[in-house]
Amino acid sequence: MVALVTGGAGGIGGAIATALAGRGHRVAVADVDLVGLARKAEEFGGLAVEMDVRDPESVRTGVAKTIAELGPLDVLVHAAGVVGGAGPLLSLPVESMDAVLAVNVRGTFLITQAVGEAMVAARRGGSIVHISSAGSFQPTVGLGHYEATKAAMNALTRSAALELAPHGIRVNAVAPGPVETPLTAAAMADPAARAPWVERIPLGRLANTDDLVPTVLLLASLEARHITGTVLPIDGGQLLRG
Ligand SMILES: NC(=O)c1ccc[n+]([C@@H]2O[C@H](COP(=O)([O-])OP(=O)(O)OC[C@H]3O[C@@H](n4cnc5c(N)ncnc54)[C@H](O)[C@@H]3O)[C@@H](O)[C@H]2O)c1
């Protein structure tokens, strides 16, 4: 089985890439962070693919390189994403909105299109898993711009699931609550800033990447062969509270 993981140099993408390789997949990791990318690929003997998910050419070239070097794609895990700053909607610079839309929405569209097209052409089905966010269902002051992009990602997940189902291609997403990764490290370093995030979670702690990996592997695998179009929260129960 061949898997492509975008955001593979990052916390969540990196952990998923390592786990897929551990399950015997041939894995390509794609990212704009070339140093992190090289380090991660070397760590488990994967293929490093330079890719900017905002750029159609870069996405198509990266997908083609993966297929040329590893074979037809069975799995895409799309974990590339940015938060794009934080701030209330009334004062958030439009540049922050544009930046987060470009990576999280345009990027999800482009990678789904390129991988979907390749999977349809290969006629062997496949599984796509997007990394969304619990924030797509529940607002947090200061993150409205980011949450809007993850809600768009959920909509793209459902549309792609419907359109690709006749080809045996499943499309799902997971929606984590806060996860300890480089993305959140700065925000969570201050105990006073961290406490309100933990208090929202009935299971009483932030997630780590090990909490996400088994569910993503399940959705990527044939064990989930009758599951498509879902956006599954992995949030310690956070969405139970309003
Ligand atoms: N960490 C959390 O609390 C959390 C919670 C819910 C959802 N998520 C989502 O999980 C995903 C992974 O987040 P993470 O915590 O591992 O963050 P991270 O910053 O560790 O990893 C994100 C990766 O995406 C890459 N990236 C950014 N822009 C890119 C682009 N244009 N093209 C290709 N790659 C690009 C970065 O270089 C980085 O390696 C993101 O989509 C994020 O929104 C994270």
Side-chain angles (χ1 to χ4, degrees):
M1 299 273 269
V2 174
L4 170 64
V5 182
T6 70
I12 293 173
I16 293 165
T18 302
L20 284 165
R23 282 244 180 137
H25 288 66
R26 297 194 296 285
V27 180
V29 278
D31 211 290
V32 280
D33 171 2
L34 302 189
V35 174
L37 186 58
R39 192 182 312 127
K40 176 50 72 176
E42 198 178 326
E43 196 182 292
F44 64 85
L47 176 69
V49 176
E50 180 180 353
M51 183 188 291
D52 184 341
V53 298
R54 296 169 295 187
D55 174 5
E57 263 318 298
S58 173
V59 170
R60 288 199 174 275
T61 306
V63 169
K65 175 179 171 170
T66 303
I67 294 168
E69 301 212 12
L70 301 183
L73 264 175
D74 301 293
V75 172
L76 165 71
V77 178
H78 174 46
V82 294
V83 175
L89 293 173
L90 293 192
S91 57
L92 190 82
V94 70
E95 291 77 13
S96 286
M97 189 74 215
D98 288 343
V100 80
L101 279 168
V103 178
N104 296 2
V105 182
R106 181 180 162 96
T108 298
F109 166 73
L110 290 173
I111 192 70
T112 304
Q113 190 175 55
V115 169
E117 211 173 80
M119 285 178 170
V120 168
R123 294 169 170 268
R124 43 193 272 145
S127 175
I128 294 175
V129 185
H130 292 140
I131 310 298
S132 181
S133 168
S136 64
F137 299 118
Q138 181 189 55
T140 296
V141 170
L143 291 176
H145 60 305
Y146 168 76
E147 290 161 345
T149 67
K150 292 298 185 175
M153 182 186 236
N154 297 352
L156 286 169
T157 299
R158 290 188 286 266
S159 294
L162 200 54
E163 293 181 13
L164 295 176
H167 302 281
I169 300 163
R170 298 178 298 103
V171 188
N172 293 288
V174 295
V179 186
E180 308 223 42
T181 71
L183 190 79
T184 51
M188 300 300 172
D190 173 9
R194 182 189 175 92
W197 286 98
V198 177
E199 278 162 21
R200 293 173 89 184
I201 303 172
L203 288 181
R205 63 172 177 83
L206 301 182
N208 57 53
T209 56
D210 288 346
D211 295 318
L212 311 188
V213 163
T215 306
V216 174
L217 291 189
L218 172 69
L219 289 173
S221 78
L222 279 176
E223 286 169 69
R225 61 188 169 271
H226 210 51
I227 302 176
T228 196
T230 57
V231 181
L232 183 66
I234 306 177
D235 67 344
Q238 184 176 310
L239 292 174
L240 296 169
R241 295 189 174 146

